[in-house]
Amino acid sequence: MNEPPASVLAADEAAPVSLYNGGGASPFLLVADHAGNAIPRALGRLGLAEVELQRHIAWDIGIAGLGRLLADALDAPLIRQNYSRLVIDCNRPLLAASSIPTISESTGIPGNVGLDEANKAARAKEIFRPYHDRIEAELERRRQAGTATALISLHSFTPVFKGVARPWHAAVLYNRDPRLARCLLPLLDAEHEFTVGENVPYTVSDATDYTIPVHAERRGLPHVLIELRQDLIADEDGRREWALRLARLLPPAYRALGGGR
Ligand SMILES: [Zn+2]
């Protein structure tokens, strides 16, 4: 056995977190927990073939590009994670079994089996923490500046999961606070072209989520988690279509709950 690495990320590797359009004047703050599929060199591709690291198990396909287009269209900041959720899932509590998954859908993740606490802690410290600290710092900066904020958590889902096709084009998810979701859902439904899920195919909970409970619910910020089906945003035309649609619908949804702008 090799000695465990003293740290996960080498000095020349990508930062875990990126801020795009940081000066954006919008009340919306966009976050993308699963935007990247990078794997630190020290983890040896987690024992997976390259093709697995391009699949939905590794990241939210299409969301990085969609997020940038939406950030541009809304003039909103976008904070995104650059490393794969297979390294450490930035939308899971650190104590959740799925924080560092040993299986995803039906694929075993060899590099995550039998990890000791030191290696788990290194991933939390170098990848999970900097991402959430960055969101926290941005929310705190906005609070101190008196800037109203609605947190928009961007995700994408695979059209077929464990052999079952999913009927939704998009979905709106929330847990304790439905305010912004309830304003956005009728606007999406009014597009008439789509099947829009409400708290399907996933739900938001303290046990299965981190970003919405910790950053939005605890601060009492209006928020919504938006899921887009990956085949709809797999190419640039699809990403642009959905970015422009969301940029058109989010401001009136926010105004409908009494937000400014
Ligand atoms: Zn996701």
Side-chain angles (χ1 to χ4, degrees):
M1 285 290 289
N2 294 329
E3 285 292 307
S7 71
V8 175
L9 291 179
D12 64 337
E13 289 189 281
V17 54
S18 293
L19 173 66
Y20 178 77
N21 195 32
S26 164
F28 298 107
L29 174 63
L30 311 179
V31 297
D33 306 333
H34 302 143
N37 67 342
I39 308 284
R41 278 198 306 273
L43 303 184
R45 314 308 279 165
L46 295 171
L48 292 168
E50 206 53 41
V51 64
E52 301 286 358
L53 297 174
Q54 299 301 325
R55 291 181 56 220
H56 73 92
I57 61 171
W59 60 334
D60 282 354
I61 293 167
I63 278 297
L66 178 286
R68 283 191 297 273
L69 292 167
L70 183 56
D72 289 339
L74 289 169
D75 192 25
L78 164 69
I79 297 174
R80 65 173 201 268
Q81 172 58 251
N82 295 321
Y83 285 88
S84 170
R85 68 163 146 237
L86 298 178
V87 176
I88 187 164
D89 191 325
C90 282
N91 193 33
R92 295 285 182 276
L94 290 171
L95 294 177
S98 54
S99 166
I100 300 178
T102 54
I103 187 163
S104 181
E105 194 172 9
S106 304
T107 303
I109 316 299
N112 290 348
V113 174
L115 273 192
D116 61 23
E117 290 305 316
N119 278 280
K120 290 181 185 175
R123 296 189 196 185
K125 175 169 176 259
E126 296 175 46
I127 293 172
F128 179 97
R129 270 286 48 108
Y131 174 69
H132 288 293
D133 287 351
R134 190 70 194 77
I135 297 173
E136 180 74 22
E138 180 66 14
L139 290 173
E140 194 53 28
R141 186 190 67 74
R142 295 170 73 98
R143 187 187 69 78
Q144 290 180 11
T147 306
T149 299
L151 189 75
I152 309 298
S153 177
L154 298 170
H155 291 263
S156 69
F157 62 97
T158 182
V160 179
F161 187 74
K162 293 186 174 174
V164 178
R166 288 160 154 179
W168 312 280
H169 297 87
V172 168
L173 277 54
Y174 56 89
N175 184 25
R176 294 177 178 87
D177 177 357
R179 285 177 295 165
L180 187 55
R182 291 265 163 82
C183 295
L184 180 61
L185 273 162
L187 299 180
L188 280 167
D189 284 337
E191 301 278 293
H192 295 303
E193 301 166 61
F194 312 109
T195 302
V196 180
E198 180 174 356
N199 284 332
V200 283
Y202 302 106
T203 56
V204 177
S205 75
D206 292 345
T208 57
D209 291 72
Y210 189 91
T211 296
I212 292 292
V214 170
H215 296 301
E217 289 183 343
R218 283 189 197 167
R219 284 178 176 267
L221 297 175
H223 61 272
V224 69
L225 190 158
I226 296 173
E227 291 267 7
L228 298 175
R229 207 175 71 196
Q230 286 165 0
D231 56 307
L232 304 178
I233 56 169
D235 63 26
E236 191 67 9
D237 285 350
R239 288 190 285 273
R240 187 167 303 279
E241 179 188 329
W242 274 95
L244 293 179
R245 178 173 293 115
L246 292 174
R248 178 163 49 81
L249 301 182
L250 279 167
Y254 183 61
R255 279 196 300 270
L257 63 78
R261 197 100 197 263

